[in-house]
Amino acid sequence: MPSRPETTDERPMLTTDGGPRREDWAGTAAEALPDDADSVLIGRIWDPSVGGPTPVAVRDGEVIDLSHRFPTVRDICELPDPAATVAGLDGARVGDFAEILANTAVATRDNGRPWLLAPVDLQALKAAGVTFPVSMIERVIEERARGDLALAADIRQRMFADIGVDLHHLEPGSVEADRLKSLLVAEGMWSQYLEVGIGPDAEIFTKGQVLSAVGTAVDVGVLAASTWNNPEPEITLIVQSSGRIVGATLGNDVNLRDIEGRSALLLPLAKDNNASCALGPLIRLFDDRFGMERVRELEVRLEVHGVDGFRLEAVSEMTQMSRDPEDLVRQLVGPHHHYPDGAALMLGTMFAPIQDRGHPGEGFTHKVDDVVRISCPALGTLVNRVRHAQECEPWQFGVRDLMGNLARRGLL
């Protein structure tokens, strides 16, 4: 089976002054697609010929229109066996995936030709937090430092000296977890993040509104007022209304650490802003070659390239999660809570950047025009450029617009 070219330092990612090249920062189709030629892939494009979004399959590098059978991606994901159905479907060829990807970046887009969208539509956008021990520790630090980077560095050093244990084998809600929580509380390190990190109940929150997610090759947004923020590379599960998991994609749960650190009650402001939820490039549907057992073993690679020449690399290993993904889904969907159109659930990240970007002790934060690459061979590569949320392409196509568009096309 053909494999995707590996990313190397020689890939034409930066100009001579350290900045991303305008024409190629979003990467290539070979990088965007999984390395498994037999993967069953679906997504969405904006089709100018119909003035709206269209569900598609990507097969052998070609984009196939599925709207004649399924007006929304949600309809595909609610099928008894989405992968088997899509694998056997024919449809009109929309174009070449590489050409559609190349037409997606806003600055160079030809609005008369199709471009890629986030691969979900009517699904709720949900995210799980503090699912890796290292992220739990960083959330405790955020809360105690209240946005002060220098204080955060000092707390981090003292906390690891006090704890001095490997946390990733700790089962949340267990007797051992409760004992550790009691120890930290006794040391004056109580935090609400301890409860969701090692307690019985997970943190699951609404990341964004339905249809607000952005896809690959477009900008993601951080608030201009934020001085401490970062990407959060995550595996994202596609969940039916029944709670059954039918696929996966990549996600960037963009986070404003200074704002969340000031107060957990500011989580909506820290998490839900224009272009702050990126998913894609495509959904890989579960079949006999790819399912939850593979997901539990995935590694997600993060690269950040700055126009200032800064470069950061990290890997998030799903094996390091403190909660099983299926347990998170059970806490999301069940008799206690229903999602009639299903959900996209971001599973959390172990990535907590502390690498200094500027002055010692100030840690990492985004700068405008950073290029963020989140990759996994089984799912492809999600690439976004960082801008202030106020300057990103505005989200203006809502549920009412979608319903009206589908009705005019005779798809409802």
Side-chain angles (χ1 to χ4, degrees):
M1 289 180 288
S3 61
R4 180 181 59 187
E6 292 203 354
T7 301
T8 67
D9 289 346
E10 288 70 40
R11 190 174 64 85
M13 187 68 198
L14 303 177
T15 61
T16 55
D17 64 357
R21 295 179 184 272
R22 190 183 77 165
E23 69 273 15
D24 64 11
W25 67 263
T28 67
E31 294 165 333
L33 295 173
D35 64 358
D36 183 349
D38 296 324
S39 53
V40 182
L41 304 171
I42 61 171
R44 291 193 309 145
I45 62 166
W46 183 272
D47 186 350
S49 69
V50 297
T54 292
V56 296
V58 176
R59 192 180 302 150
D60 298 324
E62 295 190 337
V63 179
I64 309 299
D65 186 342
L66 301 181
S67 63
H68 65 294
R69 288 285 303 275
F70 304 104
T72 67
V73 168
R74 176 266 182 204
D75 294 321
I76 298 171
C77 294
E78 288 293 309
L79 292 167
D81 191 343
T85 300
V86 169
L89 276 182
D90 290 324
R93 180 183 181 276
V94 178
D96 183 80
F97 178 78
E99 293 176 354
I100 293 175
L101 172 64
N103 191 49
T104 299
V106 176
T108 56
R109 180 184 300 163
D110 177 353
N111 289 325
R113 297 165 47 216
W115 63 88
L116 288 176
L117 300 172
V120 299
D121 42 41
L122 294 178
Q123 291 94 340
L125 300 177
K126 308 294 288 188
V130 203
T131 56
F132 289 80
V134 67
S135 67
M136 177 189 73
I137 296 301
E138 284 301 313
R139 293 302 178 271
V140 173
I141 291 169
E142 281 176 8
E143 183 181 57
R144 295 174 67 82
R146 298 188 178 277
D148 185 327
L149 292 173
L151 179 57
D154 178 64
I155 294 171
R156 185 178 295 111
Q157 182 179 13
R158 290 187 287 110
M159 181 175 285
F160 278 112
D162 286 345
I163 295 175
V165 294
D166 179 4
L167 298 179
H168 90 270
H169 292 300
L170 196 68
E171 180 182 348
S174 66
V175 173
E176 291 78 12
D178 189 62
R179 187 178 300 124
L180 174 61
K181 184 171 68 172
S182 297
L183 172 64
L184 291 171
V185 170
E187 291 293 321
M189 293 186 179
W190 179 89
S191 166
Q192 55 206 328
Y193 293 107
L194 292 177
E195 184 60 41
V196 296
I198 58 180
D201 299 315
E203 178 195 21
I204 298 177
F205 58 92
T206 297
K207 172 60 183 174
Q209 302 308 302
V210 169
L211 289 177
S212 70
V214 299
T216 196
V218 296
D219 296 333
V220 290
V222 299
L223 293 184
S226 173
T227 59
W228 187 19
N229 49 71
N230 62 255
E232 293 192 359
E234 306 186 11
I235 299 295
T236 304
L237 298 180
I238 307 302
V239 184
Q240 287 185 341
S241 58
S242 66
R244 179 170 166 243
I245 306 166
V246 296
T249 189
L250 294 169
N252 184 355
D253 176 14
V254 180
N255 185 36
L256 310 183
R257 298 187 68 183
D258 50 350
I259 290 177
E260 184 180 359
R262 282 163 47 200
S263 170
L265 297 180
L266 292 175
L267 184 68
L269 181 62
K271 291 288 191 177
D272 184 6
N273 297 293
N274 186 38
S276 65
C277 175
L279 298 173
L282 302 165
I283 294 170
R284 181 169 181 177
L285 295 172
F286 283 3
D287 56 17
D288 57 2
R289 293 178 295 275
F290 181 74
M292 281 307 305
E293 290 307 309
R294 286 279 304 278
V295 167
R296 290 186 177 95
E297 299 172 352
L298 294 178
E299 291 186 353
V300 180
R301 181 179 178 83
L302 170 73
E303 299 175 56
V304 178
H305 299 261
V307 293
D308 56 355
F310 177 85
R311 179 165 180 165
L312 181 148
E313 297 183 7
V315 174
S316 187
E317 301 173 356
M318 291 294 291
T319 56
Q320 301 297 307
M321 283 188 70
S322 58
R323 297 184 188 271
D324 185 77
E326 289 188 303
D327 177 61
L328 291 171
V329 172
R330 284 190 291 269
Q331 295 203 36
L332 172 74
V333 182
H336 64 293
H337 206 311
H338 304 97
Y339 293 87
D341 295 308
L345 176 63
M346 306 172 86
L347 294 178
T349 185
M350 67 180 290
F351 174 67
I354 59 175
Q355 177 181 336
D356 289 333
R357 185 168 193 173
H359 297 293
E362 289 190 352
F364 169 85
T365 193
H366 270 310
K367 294 187 177 182
V368 169
D369 286 335
D370 279 354
V371 172
V372 180
R373 297 171 53 82
I374 297 171
S375 61
C376 173
L379 295 171
T381 304
L382 172 67
V383 187
N384 300 103
R385 185 175 58 182
V386 176
R387 291 289 174 91
H388 291 144
Q390 299 91 325
E391 299 168 355
C392 293
E393 188 176 22
W395 171 44
Q396 297 176 323
F397 193 87
V399 175
R400 177 62 181 84
D401 298 293
L402 176 62
M403 295 301 106
N405 178 266
L406 295 178
R408 288 191 296 273
R409 293 158 61 181
L411 297 178
L412 287 184

